[in-house]
Every structure is written in C-alpha cells, then in structure tokens.
Amino acid sequence: MWIADQWKDYEVLNCSKGEKLERWGKYILVRPDPQVIWDTPRTDEGWKKKNGHYHRSAKGGGEWEFFDLPQEWSIRYRELTFRLKPFSFKHTGLFPEQAVNWDWFSSIIKKAKAQNPKRPVKVLNLFAYTGGATLAAAAAGAAVTHVDASKGMVTWAKENAAASGLSDAPIRWLVDDCVKFVEREIRRGNTYDGVIMDPPSYGRGPKGEIWKIEEDVFPLIELAAKLLSKDALFFLVNSYTTGLQPAVLTYMIHTALVPTFGGQVESSEIGLPVSANGLVLPCGASGRWFA
C-alpha cells in the first residue's frame, strides 16, 4: 500500500463504527467512511470535542452539524496551501491520501527538469477537482492543463493556486467535459508528458452527460493514451470505486499504454495512517505507468 504519511496539518486520529476522526489543521471533524466496518472503543477525546460532524441519512446524503467551525480555513502540504470548507456530501475540498501521488509524480517532473532544464513538461489533469494534483505538478515545474466539469470547483482550484503563490504558474483552467476535451485535443494534435485522472464513480458533465466509471474509464484511458508525447513521463489513474481493484487498474493501464510506450505499470491501494493504533485506513486505489 502507498501511504500518505508526510502530512503535518492533517491526520486520521481514530476510526470506528463507520466514521473517522480527523484533524484538519487545528479543527477536528467526524466524517463517515464506508471502509470503517469495525467497532472499537471511542476513547479519543476528539470524538466528544469535535468542531464538525457530518451525519449520514438513512435516506441517502446527510448534513453537517457544526461546533465552532469557521466557514473556511487553510492547511498546508509542503509548499502548497489549500483552502477548506465543509460542503455537500461530507467533503472538505481535499483528499489528503492523494498526497502520496503528488509526491510520486512531482519527483518524476523534477528529475526530468534536472536532466534537461530547457525541457517543457506538459501535464493534463482530468476531473481535476480543487486542484491538489494541479498545484503539485505546477510547483514541481510543469505546465498544467486543469479540466473539470464544475465551474465552482475550477474557481476553488484557482483560489488554492493563489493561496499557494502559484497564481502566475503556467496553468490553463478549463470548465469542460473531460471526455469531449480529450477528443478535441486528439484532433488538434496536442500532446502531454503526463496525464492524471481522478474520475468519479458516477457523474454528469456540464450538459448532463452521464459518466459511469465501470463503463467509461477504460475507453477514456485508451483515448487519453493517444495524447501522450513520444517521450512521455507518467500516467496516473485514481479510483474510489471498490470494484476497481489495483489489479484491474494495472490491467487497463498496461493494455492501453505498454504496447505503444513500453515502460512499467504498478498499482496499489492508497491509505492514511491512523494515529491511535499505527494501522492504515484504505482510501481507494491508484494505478501508475512510468517510462
């Protein structure tokens, strides 16, 4: 398992009975997590002294309950700053486990720039959300194209870029359907040295286009592979869908990329360490191709 264990401003303090107790900066949140199927004693005082608690509803969805939590606050990861706010369906605007992937592709970008300082490294980030991967790639020296179907998320990502001192970084911010954007880029003949995609299990594009990951992710991987430059560096696919296990990610990425580009594929669960017991909370899986 690849573990995001370099955080200072975030930690999973404990987890029990379908919920996780987290520290985001100086604030304590309790949020549901479907992986937490164990029932262990809730001895950590944070369970009682939380700042926010997202309650799942038996009918689906849920709602926040707040105890002295600001509408917005910030945390840092290395040189990056992220603005957080509790919003729909338990989210805060950041998936901390993805830091393990940020570190991985950042090191690849930095190595390529060190070997050839004049080489431009172009990265495409699809389903780019609030920009965690975009900012990590930009900070490492890449020019990034950030694509998300939600105008609100792209605005939030720009705010994170400003907070991180990356307002002037070479980032293209696009509100677009990811599949249609990739198809247009292929027609334009554009290429990228790295591709990142973090597709939802289910979603809708700006014009109501339906996305189902089990049906649509492999065709998109095949499409996006056509955008890789001849000396491409990496390709990353994230999944929060339990059916897409690491071996499935490896099979899809290998099939779409290796016959043309060679290189290697590796996939694994990603996770976050739990402070209370030294165990690791699984948070989905990632598949990585690298030259």
Short mmCIF file of all heavy atoms in Angstrom, two decimals, residues 16-75:
data_model
loop_
_atom_site.label_atom_id
_atom_site.label_comp_id
_atom_site.label_asym_id
_atom_site.label_seq_id
_atom_site.Cartn_x
_atom_site.Cartn_y
_atom_site.Cartn_z
N SER A 16 -13.89 4.36 13.82
CA SER A 16 -14.71 3.33 14.46
C SER A 16 -16.16 3.50 14.04
O SER A 16 -16.61 4.62 13.79
CB SER A 16 -14.60 3.44 15.99
OG SER A 16 -15.49 2.56 16.64
N LYS A 17 -16.88 2.40 13.93
CA LYS A 17 -18.34 2.41 13.71
C LYS A 17 -18.75 3.26 12.50
O LYS A 17 -19.66 4.07 12.58
CB LYS A 17 -19.08 2.91 14.96
CG LYS A 17 -18.83 2.09 16.22
CD LYS A 17 -19.59 2.68 17.40
CE LYS A 17 -19.20 1.98 18.70
NZ LYS A 17 -19.82 2.61 19.88
N GLY A 18 -18.04 3.08 11.40
CA GLY A 18 -18.42 3.75 10.17
C GLY A 18 -18.01 5.20 10.05
O GLY A 18 -18.43 5.89 9.12
N GLU A 19 -17.18 5.68 11.00
CA GLU A 19 -16.77 7.09 10.96
C GLU A 19 -15.27 7.22 11.23
O GLU A 19 -14.66 6.36 11.88
CB GLU A 19 -17.54 7.91 12.00
CG GLU A 19 -19.02 8.02 11.72
CD GLU A 19 -19.73 8.88 12.75
OE1 GLU A 19 -19.52 8.68 13.96
OE2 GLU A 19 -20.51 9.76 12.33
N LYS A 20 -14.69 8.32 10.75
CA LYS A 20 -13.29 8.61 11.04
C LYS A 20 -13.20 9.96 11.75
O LYS A 20 -13.95 10.90 11.46
CB LYS A 20 -12.43 8.61 9.77
CG LYS A 20 -12.88 9.53 8.67
CD LYS A 20 -12.11 9.24 7.39
CE LYS A 20 -12.67 10.05 6.22
NZ LYS A 20 -12.08 9.64 4.93
N LEU A 21 -12.28 10.02 12.69
CA LEU A 21 -12.00 11.23 13.47
C LEU A 21 -10.73 11.84 12.90
O LEU A 21 -9.67 11.22 12.92
CB LEU A 21 -11.81 10.86 14.94
CG LEU A 21 -11.47 11.98 15.92
CD1 LEU A 21 -12.66 12.92 16.10
CD2 LEU A 21 -11.05 11.40 17.27
N GLU A 22 -10.83 13.06 12.37
CA GLU A 22 -9.72 13.66 11.64
C GLU A 22 -9.35 15.02 12.21
O GLU A 22 -10.22 15.77 12.67
CB GLU A 22 -10.09 13.89 10.17
CG GLU A 22 -10.60 12.67 9.42
CD GLU A 22 -11.25 13.10 8.12
OE1 GLU A 22 -12.35 13.71 8.18
OE2 GLU A 22 -10.67 12.84 7.05
N ARG A 23 -8.07 15.36 12.11
CA ARG A 23 -7.60 16.71 12.43
C ARG A 23 -7.20 17.40 11.14
O ARG A 23 -6.32 16.95 10.42
CB ARG A 23 -6.39 16.66 13.37
CG ARG A 23 -5.85 18.06 13.72
CD ARG A 23 -4.64 17.97 14.63
NE ARG A 23 -3.50 17.30 14.02
CZ ARG A 23 -2.63 17.89 13.18
NH1 ARG A 23 -2.79 19.15 12.83
NH2 ARG A 23 -1.61 17.20 12.69
N TRP A 24 -7.89 18.49 10.84
CA TRP A 24 -7.59 19.32 9.67
C TRP A 24 -7.04 20.65 10.21
O TRP A 24 -7.79 21.51 10.61
CB TRP A 24 -8.83 19.58 8.84
CG TRP A 24 -9.47 18.37 8.23
CD1 TRP A 24 -10.30 17.48 8.85
CD2 TRP A 24 -9.35 17.93 6.88
NE1 TRP A 24 -10.70 16.52 7.96
CE2 TRP A 24 -10.14 16.77 6.74
CE3 TRP A 24 -8.66 18.42 5.75
CZ2 TRP A 24 -10.25 16.08 5.53
CZ3 TRP A 24 -8.77 17.74 4.56
CH2 TRP A 24 -9.56 16.58 4.45
N GLY A 25 -5.72 20.77 10.25
CA GLY A 25 -5.15 21.93 10.91
C GLY A 25 -5.44 21.86 12.40
O GLY A 25 -5.11 20.89 13.07
N LYS A 26 -6.13 22.87 12.93
CA LYS A 26 -6.45 22.85 14.37
C LYS A 26 -7.91 22.44 14.63
O LYS A 26 -8.38 22.52 15.76
CB LYS A 26 -6.16 24.21 14.99
CG LYS A 26 -6.99 25.36 14.46
CD LYS A 26 -6.59 26.67 15.17
CE LYS A 26 -7.42 27.84 14.67
NZ LYS A 26 -7.07 29.10 15.37
N TYR A 27 -8.60 21.99 13.58
CA TYR A 27 -10.01 21.65 13.74
C TYR A 27 -10.21 20.14 13.62
O TYR A 27 -9.56 19.46 12.83
CB TYR A 27 -10.85 22.38 12.69
CG TYR A 27 -10.76 23.88 12.83
CD1 TYR A 27 -10.00 24.64 11.94
CD2 TYR A 27 -11.39 24.54 13.89
CE1 TYR A 27 -9.88 26.01 12.08
CE2 TYR A 27 -11.28 25.91 14.04
CZ TYR A 27 -10.53 26.64 13.14
OH TYR A 27 -10.40 27.99 13.29
N ILE A 28 -11.14 19.63 14.43
CA ILE A 28 -11.44 18.20 14.48
C ILE A 28 -12.79 17.94 13.81
O ILE A 28 -13.80 18.56 14.17
CB ILE A 28 -11.50 17.68 15.94
CG1 ILE A 28 -10.20 18.03 16.69
CG2 ILE A 28 -11.78 16.18 15.97
CD1 ILE A 28 -8.96 17.36 16.13
N LEU A 29 -12.80 17.03 12.83
CA LEU A 29 -14.03 16.66 12.13
C LEU A 29 -14.30 15.17 12.30
O LEU A 29 -13.37 14.36 12.38
CB LEU A 29 -13.92 16.98 10.63
CG LEU A 29 -13.66 18.43 10.22
CD1 LEU A 29 -13.68 18.54 8.69
CD2 LEU A 29 -14.67 19.37 10.82
N VAL A 30 -15.57 14.83 12.34
CA VAL A 30 -16.01 13.44 12.28
C VAL A 30 -16.80 13.28 10.99
O VAL A 30 -17.78 14.00 10.75
CB VAL A 30 -16.90 13.06 13.49
CG1 VAL A 30 -17.41 11.64 13.34
CG2 VAL A 30 -16.12 13.22 14.79
N ARG A 31 -16.33 12.35 10.14
CA ARG A 31 -16.99 12.13 8.85
C ARG A 31 -17.20 10.64 8.62
O ARG A 31 -16.42 9.81 9.07
CB ARG A 31 -16.15 12.71 7.72
CG ARG A 31 -15.92 14.22 7.80
CD ARG A 31 -15.34 14.75 6.51
NE ARG A 31 -14.04 14.15 6.19
CZ ARG A 31 -13.54 14.05 4.95
NH1 ARG A 31 -14.24 14.47 3.92
NH2 ARG A 31 -12.36 13.50 4.76
N PRO A 32 -18.25 10.28 7.88
CA PRO A 32 -18.50 8.86 7.60
C PRO A 32 -17.46 8.29 6.65
O PRO A 32 -16.91 9.02 5.82
CB PRO A 32 -19.89 8.86 6.96
CG PRO A 32 -20.10 10.24 6.46
CD PRO A 32 -19.31 11.16 7.33
N ASP A 33 -17.18 7.00 6.79
CA ASP A 33 -16.27 6.31 5.88
C ASP A 33 -16.76 4.86 5.75
O ASP A 33 -16.76 4.11 6.73
CB ASP A 33 -14.84 6.33 6.42
CG ASP A 33 -13.83 5.85 5.40
OD1 ASP A 33 -14.06 4.77 4.81
OD2 ASP A 33 -12.83 6.54 5.17
N PRO A 34 -17.17 4.47 4.54
CA PRO A 34 -17.74 3.13 4.37
C PRO A 34 -16.76 1.99 4.63
O PRO A 34 -17.18 0.85 4.86
CB PRO A 34 -18.21 3.13 2.91
CG PRO A 34 -17.39 4.19 2.25
CD PRO A 34 -17.15 5.23 3.29
N GLN A 35 -15.44 2.28 4.61
CA GLN A 35 -14.45 1.24 4.87
C GLN A 35 -14.38 0.88 6.36
O GLN A 35 -13.89 -0.19 6.72
CB GLN A 35 -13.06 1.70 4.41
CG GLN A 35 -12.98 2.06 2.94
CD GLN A 35 -12.80 0.84 2.04
OE1 GLN A 35 -12.95 -0.30 2.48
NE2 GLN A 35 -12.49 1.07 0.79
N VAL A 36 -14.85 1.77 7.21
CA VAL A 36 -14.69 1.57 8.66
C VAL A 36 -15.82 0.69 9.17
O VAL A 36 -16.85 1.19 9.66
CB VAL A 36 -14.63 2.92 9.40
CG1 VAL A 36 -14.44 2.69 10.90
CG2 VAL A 36 -13.51 3.79 8.85
N ILE A 37 -15.66 -0.63 9.06
CA ILE A 37 -16.72 -1.55 9.45
C ILE A 37 -16.45 -2.18 10.82
O ILE A 37 -17.19 -3.04 11.26
CB ILE A 37 -16.93 -2.64 8.38
CG1 ILE A 37 -15.66 -3.46 8.16
CG2 ILE A 37 -17.39 -2.01 7.07
CD1 ILE A 37 -15.84 -4.62 7.19
N TRP A 38 -15.37 -1.74 11.48
CA TRP A 38 -15.07 -2.27 12.81
C TRP A 38 -15.68 -1.40 13.90
O TRP A 38 -15.96 -0.23 13.69
CB TRP A 38 -13.55 -2.38 13.00
CG TRP A 38 -12.80 -1.15 12.58
CD1 TRP A 38 -12.51 -0.05 13.33
CD2 TRP A 38 -12.25 -0.89 11.29
NE1 TRP A 38 -11.83 0.88 12.60
CE2 TRP A 38 -11.65 0.39 11.33
CE3 TRP A 38 -12.19 -1.61 10.08
CZ2 TRP A 38 -11.00 0.97 10.23
CZ3 TRP A 38 -11.55 -1.04 8.99
CH2 TRP A 38 -10.97 0.24 9.08
N ASP A 39 -15.87 -2.00 15.04
CA ASP A 39 -16.45 -1.32 16.20
C ASP A 39 -15.41 -1.37 17.32
O ASP A 39 -15.26 -2.37 18.00
CB ASP A 39 -17.74 -2.01 16.61
CG ASP A 39 -18.41 -1.34 17.81
OD1 ASP A 39 -17.79 -0.43 18.40
OD2 ASP A 39 -19.53 -1.74 18.16
N THR A 40 -14.67 -0.28 17.50
CA THR A 40 -13.64 -0.20 18.52
C THR A 40 -13.97 0.93 19.49
O THR A 40 -14.69 1.86 19.13
CB THR A 40 -12.25 0.04 17.89
OG1 THR A 40 -12.34 1.12 16.95
CG2 THR A 40 -11.78 -1.21 17.14
N PRO A 41 -13.46 0.88 20.71
CA PRO A 41 -13.81 1.90 21.71
C PRO A 41 -13.40 3.31 21.27
O PRO A 41 -12.29 3.51 20.76
CB PRO A 41 -13.02 1.48 22.95
CG PRO A 41 -12.74 0.03 22.76
CD PRO A 41 -12.60 -0.17 21.29
N ARG A 42 -14.28 4.27 21.47
CA ARG A 42 -14.01 5.66 21.10
C ARG A 42 -13.44 6.40 22.31
O ARG A 42 -14.13 7.20 22.95
CB ARG A 42 -15.28 6.33 20.58
CG ARG A 42 -15.79 5.73 19.28
CD ARG A 42 -16.90 6.57 18.68
NE ARG A 42 -17.27 6.11 17.34
CZ ARG A 42 -18.02 6.81 16.49
NH1 ARG A 42 -18.49 8.00 16.85
NH2 ARG A 42 -18.30 6.34 15.28
N THR A 43 -12.19 6.11 22.60
CA THR A 43 -11.57 6.69 23.79
C THR A 43 -10.95 8.06 23.54
O THR A 43 -10.75 8.84 24.47
CB THR A 43 -10.49 5.74 24.34
OG1 THR A 43 -9.56 5.44 23.29
CG2 THR A 43 -11.11 4.45 24.84
N ASP A 44 -10.64 8.38 22.28
CA ASP A 44 -10.03 9.68 21.98
C ASP A 44 -11.01 10.80 22.32
O ASP A 44 -12.18 10.76 21.93
CB ASP A 44 -9.63 9.74 20.50
CG ASP A 44 -8.74 10.93 20.16
OD1 ASP A 44 -9.18 12.08 20.39
OD2 ASP A 44 -7.62 10.72 19.68
N GLU A 45 -10.53 11.82 23.03
CA GLU A 45 -11.43 12.91 23.47
C GLU A 45 -11.98 13.70 22.30
O GLU A 45 -12.99 14.41 22.42
CB GLU A 45 -10.70 13.84 24.43
CG GLU A 45 -9.53 14.59 23.84
CD GLU A 45 -8.88 15.55 24.83
OE1 GLU A 45 -9.11 15.41 26.04
OE2 GLU A 45 -8.14 16.42 24.36
N GLY A 46 -11.33 13.59 21.13
CA GLY A 46 -11.81 14.30 19.95
C GLY A 46 -13.21 13.89 19.52
O GLY A 46 -13.94 14.68 18.93
N TRP A 47 -13.59 12.66 19.83
CA TRP A 47 -14.95 12.22 19.49
C TRP A 47 -15.99 13.10 20.18
O TRP A 47 -17.08 13.32 19.65
CB TRP A 47 -15.18 10.77 19.90
CG TRP A 47 -14.41 9.74 19.10
CD1 TRP A 47 -13.35 9.00 19.52
CD2 TRP A 47 -14.65 9.35 17.74
NE1 TRP A 47 -12.90 8.16 18.52
CE2 TRP A 47 -13.70 8.36 17.41
CE3 TRP A 47 -15.58 9.73 16.76
CZ2 TRP A 47 -13.64 7.75 16.16
CZ3 TRP A 47 -15.53 9.13 15.52
CH2 TRP A 47 -14.58 8.15 15.22
N LYS A 48 -15.63 13.62 21.37
CA LYS A 48 -16.57 14.48 22.11
C LYS A 48 -16.33 15.96 21.82
O LYS A 48 -17.25 16.77 21.92
CB LYS A 48 -16.42 14.23 23.62
CG LYS A 48 -16.80 12.82 24.06
CD LYS A 48 -16.86 12.74 25.59
CE LYS A 48 -17.25 11.35 26.06
NZ LYS A 48 -16.10 10.49 26.36
N LYS A 49 -15.07 16.33 21.49
CA LYS A 49 -14.72 17.75 21.33
C LYS A 49 -14.54 18.14 19.87
O LYS A 49 -13.67 18.93 19.52
CB LYS A 49 -13.44 18.06 22.12
CG LYS A 49 -13.61 17.88 23.62
CD LYS A 49 -12.33 18.26 24.36
CE LYS A 49 -12.52 18.15 25.87
NZ LYS A 49 -11.28 18.49 26.61
N LYS A 50 -15.35 17.58 19.01
CA LYS A 50 -15.23 17.82 17.57
C LYS A 50 -15.74 19.22 17.20
O LYS A 50 -16.58 19.79 17.90
CB LYS A 50 -16.01 16.76 16.80
CG LYS A 50 -17.44 16.61 17.27
CD LYS A 50 -18.06 15.34 16.74
CE LYS A 50 -19.48 15.14 17.30
NZ LYS A 50 -19.51 14.60 18.65
N ASN A 51 -15.24 19.74 16.07
CA ASN A 51 -15.70 21.03 15.55
C ASN A 51 -16.79 20.89 14.49
O ASN A 51 -17.51 21.84 14.20
CB ASN A 51 -14.54 21.82 14.96
CG ASN A 51 -13.47 22.13 15.99
OD1 ASN A 51 -12.46 21.44 16.08
ND2 ASN A 51 -13.69 23.17 16.80
N GLY A 52 -16.84 19.71 13.88
CA GLY A 52 -17.86 19.47 12.87
C GLY A 52 -18.12 17.98 12.75
O GLY A 52 -17.22 17.16 12.93
N HIS A 53 -19.38 17.63 12.46
CA HIS A 53 -19.77 16.22 12.37
C HIS A 53 -20.74 16.09 11.20
O HIS A 53 -21.78 16.72 11.18
CB HIS A 53 -20.44 15.78 13.68
CG HIS A 53 -20.67 14.31 13.78
ND1 HIS A 53 -21.08 13.71 14.95
CD2 HIS A 53 -20.57 13.30 12.87
CE1 HIS A 53 -21.20 12.40 14.77
NE2 HIS A 53 -20.91 12.13 13.50
N TYR A 54 -20.36 15.26 10.22
CA TYR A 54 -21.28 15.01 9.11
C TYR A 54 -22.07 13.75 9.41
O TYR A 54 -21.51 12.67 9.57
CB TYR A 54 -20.52 14.84 7.79
CG TYR A 54 -21.46 14.76 6.60
CD1 TYR A 54 -21.85 15.91 5.94
CD2 TYR A 54 -21.96 13.54 6.15
CE1 TYR A 54 -22.72 15.86 4.86
CE2 TYR A 54 -22.82 13.48 5.08
CZ TYR A 54 -23.21 14.64 4.43
OH TYR A 54 -24.07 14.59 3.36
N HIS A 55 -23.41 13.89 9.48
CA HIS A 55 -24.28 12.78 9.80
C HIS A 55 -24.90 12.23 8.51
O HIS A 55 -25.57 12.97 7.78
CB HIS A 55 -25.42 13.24 10.73
CG HIS A 55 -24.94 13.76 12.05
ND1 HIS A 55 -24.62 12.93 13.11
CD2 HIS A 55 -24.73 15.04 12.48
CE1 HIS A 55 -24.23 13.68 14.14
NE2 HIS A 55 -24.29 14.96 13.79
N ARG A 56 -24.66 10.95 8.24
CA ARG A 56 -25.31 10.31 7.11
C ARG A 56 -26.80 10.12 7.40
O ARG A 56 -27.19 9.86 8.53
CB ARG A 56 -24.69 8.93 6.84
CG ARG A 56 -23.30 8.96 6.23
CD ARG A 56 -23.26 9.58 4.85
NE ARG A 56 -24.14 8.92 3.91
CZ ARG A 56 -23.77 7.92 3.12
NH1 ARG A 56 -22.54 7.43 3.19
NH2 ARG A 56 -24.61 7.38 2.27
N SER A 57 -27.59 10.23 6.36
CA SER A 57 -29.02 9.99 6.47
C SER A 57 -29.34 8.59 5.96
O SER A 57 -28.73 8.12 5.00
CB SER A 57 -29.81 11.02 5.65
OG SER A 57 -31.16 10.62 5.50
N ALA A 58 -30.28 7.92 6.61
CA ALA A 58 -30.69 6.59 6.16
C ALA A 58 -31.31 6.65 4.77
O ALA A 58 -31.35 5.65 4.05
CB ALA A 58 -31.68 5.99 7.16
N LYS A 59 -31.78 7.83 4.37
CA LYS A 59 -32.41 8.01 3.05
C LYS A 59 -31.39 8.39 1.98
O LYS A 59 -31.74 8.64 0.84
CB LYS A 59 -33.49 9.09 3.14
CG LYS A 59 -34.60 8.77 4.12
CD LYS A 59 -35.56 9.94 4.24
CE LYS A 59 -36.64 9.65 5.30
NZ LYS A 59 -37.51 10.83 5.51
N GLY A 60 -30.09 8.46 2.37
CA GLY A 60 -29.07 8.91 1.43
C GLY A 60 -28.69 10.34 1.72
O GLY A 60 -29.49 11.12 2.25
N GLY A 61 -27.44 10.71 1.38
CA GLY A 61 -26.99 12.06 1.69
C GLY A 61 -26.77 12.23 3.17
O GLY A 61 -26.43 11.29 3.89
N GLY A 62 -26.99 13.44 3.65
CA GLY A 62 -26.79 13.73 5.07
C GLY A 62 -26.64 15.22 5.28
O GLY A 62 -26.93 16.02 4.38
N GLU A 63 -26.16 15.61 6.47
CA GLU A 63 -25.99 17.04 6.73
C GLU A 63 -24.91 17.25 7.78
O GLU A 63 -24.62 16.38 8.60
CB GLU A 63 -27.31 17.68 7.18
CG GLU A 63 -27.85 17.12 8.47
CD GLU A 63 -29.18 17.76 8.86
OE1 GLU A 63 -29.65 18.62 8.10
OE2 GLU A 63 -29.70 17.42 9.93
N TRP A 64 -24.32 18.44 7.73
CA TRP A 64 -23.29 18.83 8.70
C TRP A 64 -23.93 19.36 9.99
O TRP A 64 -24.95 20.04 9.95
CB TRP A 64 -22.41 19.93 8.11
CG TRP A 64 -21.37 19.44 7.14
CD1 TRP A 64 -21.47 19.45 5.77
CD2 TRP A 64 -20.08 18.91 7.46
NE1 TRP A 64 -20.31 18.95 5.21
CE2 TRP A 64 -19.45 18.61 6.23
CE3 TRP A 64 -19.41 18.65 8.65
CZ2 TRP A 64 -18.17 18.06 6.17
CZ3 TRP A 64 -18.14 18.11 8.59
CH2 TRP A 64 -17.53 17.82 7.38
N GLU A 65 -23.27 19.09 11.09
CA GLU A 65 -23.55 19.72 12.38
C GLU A 65 -22.25 20.38 12.83
O GLU A 65 -21.20 19.73 12.86
CB GLU A 65 -24.00 18.66 13.39
CG GLU A 65 -24.32 19.23 14.77
CD GLU A 65 -24.68 18.14 15.77
OE1 GLU A 65 -24.41 16.95 15.49
OE2 GLU A 65 -25.23 18.49 16.83
N PHE A 66 -22.30 21.67 13.13
CA PHE A 66 -21.08 22.42 13.42
C PHE A 66 -21.00 22.81 14.90
O PHE A 66 -22.01 23.15 15.52
CB PHE A 66 -21.00 23.68 12.55
CG PHE A 66 -20.95 23.39 11.08
CD1 PHE A 66 -21.92 23.88 10.23
CD2 PHE A 66 -19.94 22.60 10.55
CE1 PHE A 66 -21.87 23.61 8.87
CE2 PHE A 66 -19.88 22.32 9.20
CZ PHE A 66 -20.86 22.82 8.36
N PHE A 67 -19.78 22.76 15.42
CA PHE A 67 -19.48 23.20 16.78
C PHE A 67 -18.25 24.10 16.70
O PHE A 67 -17.12 23.60 16.73
CB PHE A 67 -19.19 22.01 17.70
CG PHE A 67 -20.18 20.88 17.59
CD1 PHE A 67 -19.95 19.85 16.68
CD2 PHE A 67 -21.31 20.84 18.38
CE1 PHE A 67 -20.85 18.80 16.57
CE2 PHE A 67 -22.22 19.78 18.28
CZ PHE A 67 -21.98 18.77 17.37
N ASP A 68 -18.43 25.39 16.53
CA ASP A 68 -17.30 26.33 16.50
C ASP A 68 -16.32 26.00 15.37
O ASP A 68 -15.13 25.82 15.59
CB ASP A 68 -16.58 26.32 17.86
CG ASP A 68 -15.59 27.47 17.99
OD1 ASP A 68 -15.81 28.51 17.33
OD2 ASP A 68 -14.59 27.33 18.71
N LEU A 69 -16.85 25.90 14.17
CA LEU A 69 -16.02 25.67 12.98
C LEU A 69 -16.18 26.85 12.03
O LEU A 69 -17.31 27.24 11.73
CB LEU A 69 -16.45 24.38 12.27
CG LEU A 69 -15.60 23.97 11.06
CD1 LEU A 69 -14.23 23.44 11.50
CD2 LEU A 69 -16.31 22.90 10.23
N PRO A 70 -15.08 27.46 11.55
CA PRO A 70 -15.22 28.58 10.62
C PRO A 70 -15.78 28.11 9.28
O PRO A 70 -15.72 26.93 8.95
CB PRO A 70 -13.78 29.10 10.48
CG PRO A 70 -12.92 27.93 10.81
CD PRO A 70 -13.67 27.14 11.83
N GLN A 71 -16.30 29.06 8.52
CA GLN A 71 -16.82 28.70 7.20
C GLN A 71 -15.70 28.27 6.27
O GLN A 71 -15.93 27.50 5.33
CB GLN A 71 -17.57 29.89 6.59
CG GLN A 71 -18.90 30.17 7.27
CD GLN A 71 -19.68 31.26 6.57
OE1 GLN A 71 -19.10 32.26 6.11
NE2 GLN A 71 -20.98 31.08 6.44
N GLU A 72 -14.49 28.76 6.52
CA GLU A 72 -13.35 28.42 5.66
C GLU A 72 -12.06 28.53 6.46
O GLU A 72 -11.94 29.39 7.33
CB GLU A 72 -13.31 29.37 4.46
CG GLU A 72 -12.30 29.01 3.41
CD GLU A 72 -12.41 29.94 2.20
OE1 GLU A 72 -13.45 29.92 1.51
OE2 GLU A 72 -11.45 30.70 1.96
N TRP A 73 -11.11 27.64 6.19
CA TRP A 73 -9.79 27.72 6.82
C TRP A 73 -8.79 27.06 5.89
O TRP A 73 -9.18 26.53 4.84
CB TRP A 73 -9.79 27.10 8.22
CG TRP A 73 -9.87 25.60 8.30
CD1 TRP A 73 -8.85 24.73 8.56
CD2 TRP A 73 -11.04 24.78 8.14
NE1 TRP A 73 -9.30 23.43 8.58
CE2 TRP A 73 -10.64 23.44 8.32
CE3 TRP A 73 -12.39 25.05 7.86
CZ2 TRP A 73 -11.54 22.37 8.22
CZ3 TRP A 73 -13.28 23.99 7.77
CH2 TRP A 73 -12.85 22.68 7.95
N SER A 74 -7.51 27.11 6.22
CA SER A 74 -6.47 26.61 5.31
C SER A 74 -5.57 25.61 6.03
O SER A 74 -5.36 25.69 7.24
CB SER A 74 -5.61 27.76 4.77
OG SER A 74 -6.38 28.64 4.00
N ILE A 75 -5.03 24.66 5.24
CA ILE A 75 -3.95 23.80 5.72
C ILE A 75 -2.87 23.75 4.65
O ILE A 75 -3.11 24.12 3.49
CB ILE A 75 -4.43 22.37 6.07
CG1 ILE A 75 -4.94 21.64 4.82
CG2 ILE A 75 -5.48 22.39 7.16
CD1 ILE A 75 -5.23 20.15 5.07
#
